[in-house]
Amino acid sequence: MSVGQVIAVVSQKGGVGKTTTAVNLAAALARRGLRTLLVDTDPQGSVRFGAGLRTGHETAGFSDYLAGTRALREVILPTSLPWLRVILAGTVSDAAEHEHYLARIADTRVLHDLLTMARERCDVVVVDTPPGLGPITRRVLEASQRALIPLQCEPLALQTTPQILRGIGEIAKVNPALTLDGILLTMVDEASDASRRVQAYVREHLPRALVLDLVVPRRAATADAFSAGQPVVVRDPGDPAAQAYVNLATLLAERIGSA
Ligand SMILES: Nc1ncnc2c1ncn2[C@@H]1O[C@H](COP(=O)(O)OP(=O)(O)OP(=O)(O)O)[C@@H](O)[C@H]1O
Ligand SMILES: [Mg+2]
């Protein structure tokens, strides 16, 4: 049986569209018929709001499995899409402090073993991470085959990019299987001169091969779908942002070899 791949969605900066990308990429891959698992490792736990979970779903998740209070099968949740399953962040997202969670991730192999086990049962595992290269993101990257970096198309966009690229480079030394899928420009406003200028600047200043040609436009439908608890690729598939995520899924499925 072929083994699937783990795609980590990471960025140094917060609020750049990681969760939106993770949720929509996972949904678009699942709609292609790939057995997909979406895992939320960010203690903010935002995936629970937009992944299209069935009403009345379980709120326990990865942090509860990590703490040993829930079995794995209890935290793998079905969604409205037959091929998409989700592991939420769990009760850590309701807690004021995350120290135990961070320490357990850093000091144990639970996350690594979970992602390795998940690859054996799925075609793709998409992992949402907190901003920055802290212990959670490092552990995720150590167990991933691919990394995708959303970059919000705004004037300060480039400032933090070297840090995350350096971090991924360092982790690739201990995890040689890790490849960078690229930088994905998000929230691009094609109608705005400023946004077009930033896009041109980003493409000029970063190595060409690193920045994906396809971009995700800024579209109200994306945030509206999230507020309604659904990925935009499910709620509004004709929207340009949804189409961008579908194209991203096609590109990655081809690279993974499951097209
Ligand atoms: N293409 C888009 N068009 C319009 N709004 C978007 C788009 N992508 C993301 N957003 C909105 O931008 C905000 C930040 O997005 P998101 O939560 O995905 O970022 P994040 O990188 O996961 O943030 P954090 O670092 O806090 O986890 C959200 O309100 C989201 O709905
Ligand atoms: Mg997020």
Side-chain angles (χ1 to χ4, degrees), residues 14-20 42 44 131 187 216-219 222-223:
V16 298
K18 282 183 299 302
T19 301
T20 305
D42 182 356
Q44 291 181 94
M187 299 186 233
V216 182
R218 179 185 286 282
R219 298 283 304 173
T222 314

Side-chain angles (χ1 to χ4, degrees), residues 42-202:
D42 182 356
Q44 291 181 94
S46 310
V47 164
R48 71 177 143 161
F49 302 115
L53 292 165
R54 295 179 185 164
T55 43
H57 65 81
E58 171 71 84
T59 53
F62 172 62
S63 57
D64 307 285
Y65 172 67
L66 184 71
T69 53
R70 290 300 176 106
L72 189 54
R73 63 181 157 70
E74 293 177 276
V75 297
I76 301 177
L77 309 180
T79 67
S80 56
L81 298 174
W83 299 110
L84 179 62
R85 294 208 170 0
V86 176
I87 299 182
L88 298 177
T91 40
V92 70
S93 35
D94 301 320
E97 63 89 23
H98 306 141
E99 264 162 49
H100 285 300
Y101 177 72
L102 286 173
R104 274 194 80 80
I105 287 185
D107 300 342
T108 70
R109 286 186 57 86
V110 177
L111 177 58
H112 195 284
D113 292 347
L114 170 69
L115 295 178
T116 304
M117 201 171 16
R119 304 177 55 200
E120 285 162 12
R121 291 167 173 72
C122 303
D123 297 310
V124 199
V125 183
V126 179
V127 188
D128 190 21
T129 64
L133 256 183
I136 301 173
T137 306
R138 282 179 190 280
R139 281 278 181 254
V140 171
L141 287 168
E142 283 165 12
S144 297
Q145 287 69 53
R146 326 191 70 94
L148 185 65
I149 309 177
L151 184 76
Q152 186 179 349
C153 224
E154 42 100 39
L156 295 178
L158 274 183
Q159 272 188 350
T160 52
T161 310
Q163 285 144 268
I164 193 85
L165 291 177
R166 213 177 309 125
I168 291 175
E170 276 165 26
I171 291 163
K173 288 182 195 152
V174 290
N175 174 18
L178 181 65
T179 53
L180 178 59
D181 269 310
I183 293 171
L184 173 70
L185 301 182
T186 61
M187 299 186 233
V188 172
D189 185 356
E190 299 283 6
S192 132
D193 284 347
S195 183
R196 277 206 307 275
R197 272 200 303 276
V198 173
Q199 195 187 150
Y201 182 83
V202 166

